Every structure is written in structure tokens, then in C-alpha cells.
């Protein structure tokens, strides 16, 4: 009885927070008529603001396609976007706002550090999350039932990275991260598994601060350790500068970047000559799997090129729609069950099935390489 | 040995940027006791002004990449950021001249955000890549590497600083600035146009920050609308280390901070760079708030 009272108080509290939310569709309990609302947190301001439109457009493309085909169970889908700013406080506020808007599922999440605090907000409101971009292991380590990663995890990325490092025959590796949850996760996991067979050593491991221009201190210290392979796991802005500054410091070994750095601006910032041959660990994208029709469609609609996580966001919406359709319900619990039951649904990274931890059963990470002014699939 | 020389060179190079930006901080503080927190964003504005000049005047600078191009663009950008400094002073600071210090400080923070997100609106939130990037050969100096560009940039920075020092210590206008920093009311009675001298101070400080912005753009290649934030704080730290209000102290503080960071990160690791820098800020504020060269104490008779 007291539990019930507490629950009632919670629901009342949530709807009161919404301001004018004292209607039937209070937090988490989506409406039974009208459009099915999907919420997306993505950075539209701040240092990663460039990513916002890529994710938003990707999701919108899927929603428009589904709506054209008659929606889900005869109901249209609607996308509500809130700013995440790659900042935990902004993201938490955005998540609460989405809850009061009565979204059925969340299809956003870019920066892992900003996505982390939103997990429990959505969990309390019973809203399932399909996270298209953020991929730190911290996200699934919380073991919340509502969290699903559409992107491969940090460990899966690290696994693929180590594979590549060994394949290149590297003996000494330098790892650099930017101290964020996402980036640190990959370097930690990479460092853990790299020395397993004794053939390769981590000779230098450091964290830099994002948002600066001069990384000569980090570069000097890394070059001094004489690595033959450098792996940078942060975002492209710093990645471009690091590549440039490594080359200027006379380093001529291999450089690899993680998926946060996969953007054509990486090459522009580094300078085309410096960037040649730089490797990247990345999940599949329409460019790399050669789905030209999808890219053309996107371009026609938004008058812009798709970018990182356009495809994952597109997939997140499609998976959410599939689960809602299978569940024949917009209740969080039912959708979560339907998500767990999905088997063989075609997404860009292959037939989809979630692991018991709610991650992709296959990471789908590939190695890209910079050729001229593009990142192309390494053959 | 070669590693040590490399650390010193890295420190001096970064330090010269800090020093250029710190000068504006110190000048404005020296004269009206205002911490102009929008100053780092003037540096960012300079980088974007240079970017715009290069983009729109693309034809005129075709085949650029030469140092002459850079200097011309830099002078134009300095004029632009100098004027922006004037506008900032006129719009945001002068109306609050008599207000409590805290109000002015908050206005400065507001001006900083207005500049940042104004540029983000105009140029978009994505980082931009400079059209003219200096390519140059690398010199070996006692086993350490330094590029000719780095040397030239440090020389430009030194030239600007020497010019400023001469201006302040040898010219009429400089004498007026020094006089106002001692007692603005008395200056008013002596017939000095205080407003115009303060405006001039803003112009010079902002122009120097703009020059640093263009240099950073041409050297690092990447600019973005938030680039002024951290360097603004670092320049503030440099000004405090050198003795805020003291122009030579700002230069010394910039170089000292650059070296401290360079050595600190070499021994502690890169993640300690900012902790180290701002730790020194706190250390100086508690132990020697007047900084290395010390603010000149107002003489009262």
C-alpha cells in the first residue's frame, strides 16, 4: 500500500514538473491516440554540435519512411529532439523534458558521458532507450533493463583495434584519450588486452584535454617513448590536430583513430598529406557498405551529406518501430521484451539480435583508411 | 638533453601565445581594474576574422601560404578585432563604469557568451580549417625540432610586445594610460580624455589578441567558436603569475606558464596540464597575489 502511494506520488511529481502536464499522458505513460512520440537527445550546441544534424536527419529519414508506409499500427511517428550538448547537466534536463513530453522510446545519445545520467531518468519513467552513438561500456554496466546499444561497445571497438594493431605487426603502442567516458573506455580495454600474448607493449598512455590547440606536450612525450603505432580514441577535432602535430614532430609510424574521429574534417584539420594512411575503427556506414541509394535519398531530403551516426540513428528508429509493432503496445515493459526478442531484423550492421547485456551480438567494427580526402574501407 | 631542449622550445612557443593574449588582460585590468573575461573570445574573433578575410578575399591571396599573406591578413584582422574591442567597451562596459565591480564582471561573462554563440550562429558550430596553412621546413636545434614558422611566429609576437612596451613607456598616449591607471579622477581634472584613452587601451589589447588568433589559425589550422575559452583562462593565469596590471609581467607570466606546462606535463602526464596550470593560479593568488613582477602600488602623497 505504501509502495502504491509512493508510486502515485512519483507520477504526480513527474507530471507536476512538466508544467501543464496534469493530463492523462503523464510521464512515461504514452498516449494511446495521436502520434507515437520518439525522443532524441543529441548535441545541437557545444563542442560536438556538428553531430546533431547528422543524427536528427538520420532518425527523421526513418520516421518519414515509416510514416509514408502508414506508420506503426496505423499511428504516425513523431520525432522530438532535445539538446544534449555533450554535457551531463544539459542532457539530464533534456531527458526530463522528453519524459514529460510523453515519449514512447528514446532513440538518442551521442556523448557517453552525457548519456550516462539520462539512463536512470528514462528507466524510472519506464522508457526504453535505443542508443545510436554513445558506446561506453559504462552504459551497459549499470545493467538497467531499458538500455540497448545500437552501436558496438567500447570493448568491441577495442577488440577490433587490437586485432588491427597485431595485424600491422606493431610492437610498441601509444594510447591517447581525452579523459571522457567513451574515450577512456576504449584505451583501457585496448591496454588490457594488448599485452596478453607478450608480442606488443603499451609504451605510452596519456589523456589530453579536449578544446585546446597545442598538444605538443603530449606529442613530445609519446614520440619520446618511440611507439610504432599510435591509437587516438577521442573526437575528430583533437584527432586532426594530433595527427598534424605527430607528423610535424617527425613521427612516421602508424596512426589509428576511433569512431568519434571519423569525419571528413579530421582530414581537413590534419592536412591531407599528414592524414594519408591514417586508420580508423568504425562501425559500418552507408559509404563503407556502398548503399548509394540510401545516401542519395538522404541528400535529396536534407540537401546535405550524411555524417557519422546518421545510419545508426536511422536504425535506432527502425528498431524502435519494429519493437512497438511486435509488442502491439506502447508500454515500456512490453517494448523492452519485444526488443529482447528481436532476431534477424536487418540493420546496417547486419541481422540484429541483442545480447543478454543489450549490446549488439556482433560489433560490426571495420577498419577504414584515409585515402586522398576520404575515409574508405580498408581492403 | 635533446628532450629538455624540446620541452623548452614547446614551452616558449605556447608561452608566446599566452603572453600575447595576457597583454590585453593585463592592460585592461591595469587601467580600469576590470577582468575582461570576453578577452579570450576576442582571440577567437581574430581567428575567425582572419578566416573570413582569407575566404572572401580568396582570389587576392591565391597561391598564398606565404608569410607576407599572413602578415597582411593579420593586420586586417587586428583592425577588426580592435574595433570589436571598442564596440565591446562602448556597449558593455562603459555604461557600467560606475557600477559595482561584480556587475561588470558578470557583463564580461555575458559578453563572452554573446561573442561565442554569435560566431557559432554566423559561422556554424563546426570547426573551420584555415585556407592558408604555413608549410615549412623543420630545423634541428640541439637535437630538438622547431619549424621556421614557429620561429617566425615567436618573432612576430616579440615584435608586437616590444612595440607595445615602447608605446606605453615612450609615447604621450602611453603616459596617459599610465596616469589613468594611477588615478582616473585626477586625470579627468587634468584635462585628459579618460574615455578615449580607455577605448584606445581596449583597441590595442583586442588587436593583440586578434593577432594571436590569426597566428593560431594559420599555425594549428583549426579554429572553432569555443577556442577562446581555455586560452582566455590560461592568459588570465599568465597575467596573474606575472603580476596583473603589469604589461611586462604579462609577457613574463605567459612564458613562465608555457614552460611550467611543458615541464609539468612531461613529468606528470598530459592529463595534468590544466590542473598544473590552474594550480599555479591558486598558488600565486594565495602566496603572492601581486605576481612575479608585482603590480605597481598607487603612490599617494
Amino acid at each position: 500500500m505504501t509502495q502504491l502511494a509512493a508510486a502515485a506520488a512519483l507520477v504526480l511529481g513527474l507530471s507536476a514538473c512538466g508544467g501543464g502536464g496534469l493530463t492523462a499522458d503523464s510521464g512515461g505513460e504514452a498516449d494511446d491516440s495521436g502520434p507515437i512520440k520518439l525522443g532524441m537527445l543529441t548535441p545541437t550546441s557545444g563542442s560536438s554540435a556538428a553531430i546533431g544534424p547528422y543524427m536528427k536527419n538520420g532518425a527523421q529519414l526513418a520516421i518519414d519512411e515509416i510514416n509514408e508506409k502508414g506508420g506503426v499500427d496505423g499511428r504516425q511517428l513523431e520525432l522530438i529532439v532535445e539538446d544534449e550538448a555533450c554535457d551531463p547537466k544539459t542532457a539530464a534536463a533534456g531527458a526530463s523534458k522528453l519524459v514529460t513530453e510523453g515519449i514512447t522510446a528514446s532513440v538518442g545519445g551521442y556523448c557517453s558521458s552525457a548519456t550516462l545520467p539520462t539512463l536512470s531518468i528514462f528507466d524510472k519513467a519506464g522508457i526504453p532507450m535505443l542508443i545510436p552513438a554513445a558506446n561506453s561500456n559504462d552504459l551497459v554496466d549499470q545493467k538497467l533493463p531499458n538500455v540497448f546499444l545500437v552501436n558496438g561497445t567500447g570493448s568491441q571497438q577495442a577488440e577490433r583495434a587490437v586485432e588491427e594493431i597485431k595485424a600491422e605487426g606493431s610492437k610498441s603502442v601509444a594510447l591517447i584519450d581525452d579523459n571522457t567516458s567513451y574515450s577512456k573506455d576504449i584505451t583501457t580495454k585496448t591496454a588490457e588486452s594488448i599485452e596478453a600474448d607478450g608480442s606488443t607493449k603499451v609504451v605510452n598512455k596519456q589523456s589530453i584535454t579536449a578544446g585546446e590547440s597545442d598538444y605538443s606536450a603530449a606529442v613530445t612525450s609519446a614520440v619520446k617513448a618511440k611507439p610504432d603505432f599510435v591509437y587516438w580514441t577521442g573526437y575528430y577535432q583533437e584527432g586532426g590536430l594530433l595527427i598534424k602535430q605527430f607528423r610535424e614532430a617527425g613521427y612516421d609510424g602508424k596512426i589509428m583513430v576511433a569512431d568519434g574521429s571519423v569525419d571528413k574534417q579530421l582530414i581537413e584539420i590534419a592536412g591531407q598529406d599528414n592524414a594519408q594512411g591514417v586508420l580508423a575503427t568504425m562501425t559500418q556506414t552507408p559509404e563503407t557498405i556502398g548503399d548509394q541509394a540510401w545516401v542519395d535519398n538522404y541528400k535529396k531530403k536534407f540537401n546535405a551529406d550524411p555524417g557519422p551516426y546518421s545510419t545508426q540513428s536511422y536504425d535506432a528508429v527502425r528498431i524502435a518501430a519494429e519493437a512497438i509493432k511486435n509488442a502491439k503496445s506502447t508500454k515500456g515493459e512490453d517494448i523492452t521484451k519485444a526488443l529482447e526478442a528481436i532476431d534477424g531484423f536487418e540493420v546496417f550492421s547486419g541481422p540484429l539480435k541483442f545480447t543478454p547485456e543489450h549490446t549488439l551480438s556482433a560489433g560490426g567494427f571495420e577498419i577504414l583508411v584515409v585515402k586522398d580526402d576520404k575515409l574508405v574501407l580498408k581492403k | 638533453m635533446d628532450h629538455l631542449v624540446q620541452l623548452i622550445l614547446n614551452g616558449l612557443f605556447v608561452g608566446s601565445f599566452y603572453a600575447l593574449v595576457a597583454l590585453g588582460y593585463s592592460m585592461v585590468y591595469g587601467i580600469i581594474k576590470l577582468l575582461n573575461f570576453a578577452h579570450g573570445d576576442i582571440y577567437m574573433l581574430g581567428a575567425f576574422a582572419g578566416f573570413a578575410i582569407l575566404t572572401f578575399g580568396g582570389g587576392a591571396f591565391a597561391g598564398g601560404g606565404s608569410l607576407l599573406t599572413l602578415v597582411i591578413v593579420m593586420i586586417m584582422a587586428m583592425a577588426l578585432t580592435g574595433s570589436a574591442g571598442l564596440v565591446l567597451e562602448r556597449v558593455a562596459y562603459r555604461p557600467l563604469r560606475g557600477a559595482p565591480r561584480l556587475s561588470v564582471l558578470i557583463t564580461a561573462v555575458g559578453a563572452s557568451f554573446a561573442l561565442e554563440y554569435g560566431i557559432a550562429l554566423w559561422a556554424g558550430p563546426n570547426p573551420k580549417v584555415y585556407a592558408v596553412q604555413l608549410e615549412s621546413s623543420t630545423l634541428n636545434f640541439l637535437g630538438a625540432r622547431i619549424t621556421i614558422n614557429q620561429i617566425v611566429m615567436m618573432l612576430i609576437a616579440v615584435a608586437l610586445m616590444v612595440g607595445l612596451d615602447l608605446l606605453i613607456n615612450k609615447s604621450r598616449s602611453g603616459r596617459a594610460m599610465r596616469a589613468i591607471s594611477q588615478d582616473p579622477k585626477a586625470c579627468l581634472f587634468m584635462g585628459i580624455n579618460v574615455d578615449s584613452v580607455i577605448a584606445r587601451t581596449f583597441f590595442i589589447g583586442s588587436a593583440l589578441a586578434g593577432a594571436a588568433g590569426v597566428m593560431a589559425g594559420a599555425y594549428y589550422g583549426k579554429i572553432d567558436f569555443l577556442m577562446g575559452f581555455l586560452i582566455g583562462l590560461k592568459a588570465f593565469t599568465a597575467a596573474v603569475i606575472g603580476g596583473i596590471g603589469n604589461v611586462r609581467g604579462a609577457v613574463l607570466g605567459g612564458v613562465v606558464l608555457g614552460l611550467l606546462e611543458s615541464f609539468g606535463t612531461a613529468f606528470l602526464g598530459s592529463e595534468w596540464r590544466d590542473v598544473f596550470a590552474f594550480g599555479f593560479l591558486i598558488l600565486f593568488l594565495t602566496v603572492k597575489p601581486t605576481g612575479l613582477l608585482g603590480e605597481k602600488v598607487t603612490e599617494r602623497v
Side-chain angles (χ1 to χ4, degrees), chain B residues 130-210:
Chain B
Y130 253 54
V132 172
Q133 284 189 32
L134 297 164
E135 304 284 338
S136 82
S137 43
T138 310
L139 295 181
N140 261 317
F141 179 73
L142 295 175
R145 296 169 65 94
I146 185 162
T147 62
I148 295 185
N149 286 329
Q150 283 178 309
I151 297 176
V152 172
M153 297 229 169
M154 284 198 270
L155 287 179
I156 293 178
V158 170
L160 288 170
M161 292 174 210
V162 171
L164 178 71
D165 198 61
L166 287 176
L167 180 84
I168 288 181
N169 290 316
K170 301 275 188 258
S171 76
R172 268 177 75 85
S173 168
R175 201 184 311 151
M177 285 180 195
R178 280 181 288 142
I180 291 178
S181 74
Q182 300 229 328
D183 194 340
K185 277 225 179 83
C187 289
L188 206 58
F189 295 143
M190 298 302 287
I192 297 174
N193 187 342
V194 173
D195 277 345
S196 89
V197 175
I198 291 176
R200 211 172 302 153
T201 312
F202 266 89
F203 183 88
I204 297 169
S206 303
L208 289 176

Side-chain angles (χ1 to χ4, degrees), chain A residues 309-320:
Chain A
Y309 305 108
S310 292
T311 47
Q312 280 86 351
S313 306
Y314 174 84
D315 278 342
V317 169
R318 289 176 57 237
I319 298 165

Side-chain angles (χ1 to χ4, degrees), chain A residues 2 32 41 51 56 58 61 82 95 99 103 105 108 131 140 144 207 273 278 292 296 327 329 334 345 364 378-379:
Chain A
T2 46
D32 279 343
L41 285 168
I51 300 293
K56 192 178 138 195
L61 186 62
E82 282 295 328
V99 169
I103 61 164
I131 303 175
V140 283
L144 291 173
S207 307
D273 291 345
V278 165
Q292 196 55 41
D296 290 344
S329 152
D334 300 343
F345 183 65
K378 189 188 171 203
K379 294 274 152 47

Side-chain angles (χ1 to χ4, degrees), chain B residues 11-23 161 234-235 237-243 247-261 292:
Chain B
L12 286 177
F13 183 65
V14 182
S16 60
F17 277 89
Y18 291 163
L20 266 184
V21 185
L23 279 171
M161 292 174 210
K234 293 277 176 74
T237 308
V240 169
I241 289 180
V247 168
R248 286 181 189 170
V251 176
L252 179 69
V255 172
V256 167
L257 182 64
L259 289 172
L260 278 175
E261 276 191 8
L292 289 174

Side-chain angles (χ1 to χ4, degrees), chain B residues 31-150:
Chain B
I31 200 159
I32 53 171
K33 302 285 174 283
L34 159 70
L35 289 176
N36 180 12
F37 273 117
H39 193 66
D41 298 298
I42 296 280
Y43 160 88
M44 177 272 296
L45 199 67
F48 272 88
F51 176 77
I53 294 166
L54 283 170
T55 310
F56 296 128
F61 298 114
S66 73
L67 213 56
L68 185 68
T69 317
L70 177 72
V71 172
I72 296 171
V73 171
M74 200 166 84
I75 291 170
M76 290 163 79
M78 282 171 79
L80 272 169
T81 55
S83 315
L86 287 183
V87 174
L88 188 69
E89 194 269 335
R90 189 72 192 79
V91 175
Y93 300 144
R94 194 180 297 180
L96 289 166
R97 185 84 38 87
R101 284 243 208 118
L102 187 63
S103 317
V104 191
L105 198 67
I106 292 167
T107 312
V109 174
S112 160
F113 283 122
L115 279 172
E116 281 171 10
Y117 288 91
I119 288 292
L121 265 183
W122 172 70
N126 286 341
K128 300 270 180 258
V129 179
Y130 253 54
V132 172
Q133 284 189 32
L134 297 164
E135 304 284 338
S136 82
S137 43
T138 310
L139 295 181
N140 261 317
F141 179 73
L142 295 175
R145 296 169 65 94
I146 185 162
T147 62
I148 295 185
N149 286 329
Q150 283 178 309

